[in-house]
Amino acid sequence: MTVREYAIQCIQDEAQAVLDLIPQMDDNFDRAVELIMQCQGKVIVTGVGKSGHIGAKIAATLASTGTPSFFINPLDVYHGDLGVMSKGDVVLAISHSGQTDELLRFIPMVLHMEIPIIGMSGNPQSLLAKYSTCHLNISVKKEACPLNLAPTSSTTATLVMGDALAVALMEKRNFQPQDFAQFHPGGELGKRLLTTAQDVMLTENLPILTEDMHLGEAIILVSKGKLGLGVAIRDERISGLITDGDIRRAMEKWQAEFFNRTVADIMTRQPKTVGLQTKISEIQKTMNKYKIHNVLVVDEERHLLGIVDRYACVL
């Protein structure tokens, strides 16, 4: 076999190991989800070695999708970290063999505190499975490693089972994009879902026009505003909007008569408006739907508060 063929075989073996998890899913999975849903404290994920590395990722995924969770190494428990645990927590203990000594020595402490244990191992007959409130079977037929020794398929299966838990919990909690954004405020999604019109709108030197203003004068104000538009105001309220495109079309239509025309002759009388608290994600949808580059920010009485342009929505 070539090097590439070995790599392809590895991917196939790990993919098959993941698919083999499906027939191993049983009522224990449902019980695990229910335990976490009823948890009044935190989900404490623990494991040693490669299982610990996978456990840390599972804890991070749970925490970022609405389930308070963190990872703890069972070795650290013997040196003071037991203090982070309390009644009302749930422990997710991971061990491929289900017989890891460091993990098993940690289990009696958890049981003494009357904390339920979700065991995750490849051996339903293991001691971990025996002492768990419910057990998730992550057994694999073989490792992708050519020696069938290095944790490969087994760690992938563990990771996928953790993701399955997280996704099931998201569905049970009706976890929405805006919830996700609250846990990821620094990311692009978080910014789009949490940032509002008030945060990005332009408020200074706005191109304000009147309905009776001649288009020759309006062109100058639109140009100075550098937004490609002008906002018509009547009785301190928005009455219309003109754009560069409106002006060009008016020039072609009226030619020499153009300068005798007024803003009222070409303005859009119902421009798209949003409120101060409208999310940028919603503004983007409006811009894309109507193929526009700006929206006007108004209060309940249609007073102009600011303008949001397309570039302000690129976060």
Side-chain angles (χ1 to χ4, degrees):
M1 291 177 66
T2 66
V3 171
R4 188 180 302 176
E5 289 172 332
Y6 279 119
I8 292 172
Q9 184 62 56
C10 173
I11 294 171
Q12 290 174 335
D13 288 344
E14 295 203 22
Q16 188 59 54
V18 169
L19 291 175
D20 288 343
L21 288 176
I22 296 174
Q24 295 170 186
M25 302 279 280
D26 56 19
D27 291 345
N28 279 285
F29 185 86
D30 300 337
R31 293 174 62 195
V33 171
E34 198 57 37
L35 270 177
I36 296 175
M37 286 294 295
Q38 295 176 359
C39 176
Q40 299 298 310
K42 310 165 293 295
V43 174
I44 300 171
V45 185
T46 187
V48 179
K50 302 296 189 298
S51 293
H53 295 311
I54 298 299
K57 190 275 178 186
I58 292 174
T61 299
L62 289 170
S64 69
T65 53
T67 300
S69 176
F70 64 88
F71 175 80
I72 185 171
N73 190 314
L75 299 176
D76 294 331
V77 170
Y78 308 114
H79 302 284
D81 283 5
L82 187 64
V84 303
M85 298 173 59
S86 60
K87 197 168 183 178
D89 292 341
V90 170
V91 166
L92 173 58
I94 305 172
S95 167
H96 178 59
S97 68
Q99 302 286 122
T100 306
D101 182 63
E102 297 90 344
L103 188 64
L104 292 178
R105 286 192 285 128
F106 167 62
I107 297 300
M109 306 178 198
V110 180
L111 295 176
H112 178 72
M113 297 176 70
E114 298 182 352
I115 295 174
I117 300 171
I118 300 171
M120 190 183 293
S121 84
N123 182 3
Q125 307 305 317
S126 64
L127 288 174
L128 174 59
K130 177 181 177 180
Y131 290 113
S132 295
T133 309
C134 54
H135 178 260
L136 303 180
N137 186 359
I138 51 170
S139 61
V140 298
K141 294 177 181 177
K142 69 184 185 72
E143 299 287 3
C145 164
L147 302 177
N148 195 29
L149 293 174
T152 44
S153 297
S154 59
T155 49
T156 300
T158 307
L159 183 62
V160 169
M161 184 62 80
D163 286 343
L165 267 179
V167 169
L169 288 162
M170 289 175 71
E171 289 294 330
K172 287 280 286 185
R173 299 185 195 279
N174 192 29
F175 198 78
Q176 299 297 312
Q178 53 267 34
D179 300 314
F180 187 87
Q182 290 179 351
F183 292 102
H184 301 76
E188 179 182 349
L189 176 63
K191 289 179 181 178
R192 283 195 289 114
L193 291 176
L194 297 179
T195 302
T196 65
Q198 185 175 16
D199 297 323
V200 299
M201 69 182 186
L202 303 171
T203 58
E204 297 181 359
N205 301 318
L206 300 180
I208 304 300
L209 316 174
T210 61
E211 292 184 15
D212 60 357
M213 181 181 291
H214 286 94
L215 292 179
E217 185 181 354
I219 288 176
I220 297 173
L221 293 178
V222 170
S223 178
K224 286 183 177 180
K226 298 181 179 179
L227 291 174
L229 59 80
V231 184
I233 301 294
R234 182 178 62 193
D235 297 330
E236 299 183 351
R237 292 177 174 82
I238 295 171
S239 59
L241 175 79
I242 67 171
T243 67
D244 285 339
D246 295 328
I247 292 172
R248 287 195 300 272
R249 287 186 288 272
M251 284 181 172
E252 293 174 1
K253 178 179 179 180
W254 288 311
Q255 298 184 11
E257 292 294 317
F258 171 80
F259 290 98
N260 293 325
R261 298 289 179 168
T262 66
V263 169
D265 292 328
I266 67 169
M267 71 183 187
T268 299
R269 297 183 181 275
Q270 294 295 328
K272 301 304 175 186
T273 61
V274 299
L276 285 171
Q277 298 307 312
T278 304
K279 300 292 191 296
I280 288 300
S281 57
E282 293 301 316
I283 294 176
Q284 287 177 319
K285 291 178 183 178
T286 298
M287 289 181 175
N288 293 333
K289 180 178 180 179
Y290 295 101
K291 296 181 173 57
I292 57 178
H293 298 284
N294 303 272
V295 294
L296 309 181
V297 185
V298 300
D299 59 18
E300 294 180 355
E301 298 181 351
R302 288 181 65 81
H303 296 129
L304 180 65
L305 303 177
I307 299 174
V308 176
D309 68 5
R310 181 175 291 275
Y311 298 107
C313 295
V314 181
L315 301 174

